[in-house]
Amino acid sequence: MTDLAPVAFSPWEMFLNAGLVVRCVMSVLVVASVLTWTILIAKSVELLRVRAGLGRAEQALELAGTLDLGEEGTRASSIAHTLVVAAQTERRRSADIPEDSEGQKERIVLHLERLEAAEGRRLMRGTGLLATIGATSPFVGLFGTVWGIMTSFTGIAASKATSLAVVAPGIAEALLATALGLVAAIPAVVIYNHLARQTASCRAQVADLSALVMRLVSRDLGRMQAQIASGQVVRLGAARDPRLATGE
């Protein structure tokens, strides 16, 4: 009596029995899957640290009365410290035109906007690979499947065999490439969307920090304008009354 028990095929055995092209396709998909999970771990740790630093910097700026006092509290976050230093640098460069407070604010806002954009690009770095993996992995796996099935049917034609048992192993090995393509693509898409949401949250925190920096800048400029106005009142009074100018 013929033994009709099914032949057991493990994924590893199918990989070893597949053709060279199909094995290369499978290897590429496995590497892509490993990269996907590596990026998830690395970016998750990075974003957690960034969000923690931004939270501490935001609290420090909320409590600071002036921009100079806020500098020390923002050292926990590199981008927050960069924003504060950029605002201070522009104020020093505009020290010779203290009456141009609106111009100072405009220049500081432009600089902070560019720093925000640069930080957003830095936070998204590495996630573009996830988008590429999610978009191309199914097609790479499909290519391996088509190539494997084509090779199987070519073997049938060469051996002139008509039994399905001859072609079944080759088709199974080829379909494994499609399965690996989906295994690589689906997590990549989900992880990309997750990291995009986390990055958007960090960018919103950076925007909040920029608003806090501009509030401190406006406050400092308001104090400076009040001091200038007080000095002008004294000079005007001295000009109207010569005795004030001579101290009599």
Side-chain angles (χ1 to χ4, degrees):
M1 186 175 179
T2 305
D3 187 7
L4 298 179
V7 179
F9 285 103
S10 68
W12 179 246
E13 290 174 344
M14 287 190 287
F15 172 79
L16 294 178
N17 294 329
L20 177 62
V21 174
V22 179
R23 282 204 304 269
C24 291
V25 169
M26 292 181 183
S27 299
V28 169
L29 292 173
V30 169
V31 171
S33 182
V34 171
L35 286 175
T36 297
W37 293 103
T38 302
I39 292 173
L40 171 63
I41 296 172
K43 294 298 292 184
S44 296
V45 173
E46 177 188 356
L47 292 175
L48 283 174
R49 290 178 177 176
V50 169
R51 294 182 66 178
L54 290 174
R56 290 192 294 270
E58 186 174 355
Q59 291 179 357
L61 291 178
E62 284 282 1
L63 297 175
T66 64
L67 191 62
D68 294 332
L69 293 177
E71 181 181 0
E72 291 298 326
T74 58
R75 295 188 183 276
S77 172
S78 61
I79 180 60
H81 189 65
T82 301
L83 294 174
V84 173
V85 171
Q88 290 177 329
T89 301
E90 181 56 41
R91 285 184 56 191
R92 286 195 297 269
R93 291 175 178 175
S94 303
D96 56 334
I97 45 174
E99 67 280 357
D100 186 24
S101 59
E102 293 301 322
Q104 286 189 45
K105 291 180 184 179
E106 182 179 356
R107 290 188 292 273
I108 293 173
V109 167
L110 290 175
H111 196 176
L112 296 186
E113 286 178 353
R114 300 315 307 158
L115 291 175
E116 285 183 43
E119 180 66 8
R121 290 191 297 269
R122 189 189 69 81
L123 292 174
M124 287 297 294
R125 187 172 54 200
T127 58
L129 182 60
L130 295 176
T132 301
I133 292 174
T136 61
S137 291
F139 298 102
V140 174
L142 183 60
F143 168 75
T145 298
V146 171
W147 188 275
I149 292 175
M150 183 179 64
T151 303
S152 297
F153 280 109
T154 302
I156 289 177
S159 62
K160 298 181 180 180
T162 58
S163 174
L164 184 62
V166 177
V167 70
I171 294 177
E173 295 158 6
L175 291 174
L176 180 61
T178 299
L180 289 176
L182 296 176
V183 168
I186 294 174
V189 173
V190 174
I191 292 171
Y192 175 81
N193 291 331
H194 169 71
L195 293 179
R197 290 192 296 270
Q198 296 298 318
T199 302
S201 177
C202 289
R203 294 181 66 176
Q205 283 186 281
V206 174
D208 292 340
L209 285 175
S210 296
L212 289 173
V213 170
M214 286 308 305
R215 187 174 70 181
L216 294 176
V217 168
S218 178
R219 188 180 298 160
D220 291 344
L221 290 176
R223 293 191 183 103
M224 184 177 64
Q225 291 297 320
Q227 293 173 358
I228 293 174
S230 299
Q232 288 176 345
V233 168
V234 172
R235 288 194 296 270
L236 288 174
R240 285 193 293 264
D241 190 350
R243 292 176 297 176
L244 294 176
T246 59
E248 296 179 357

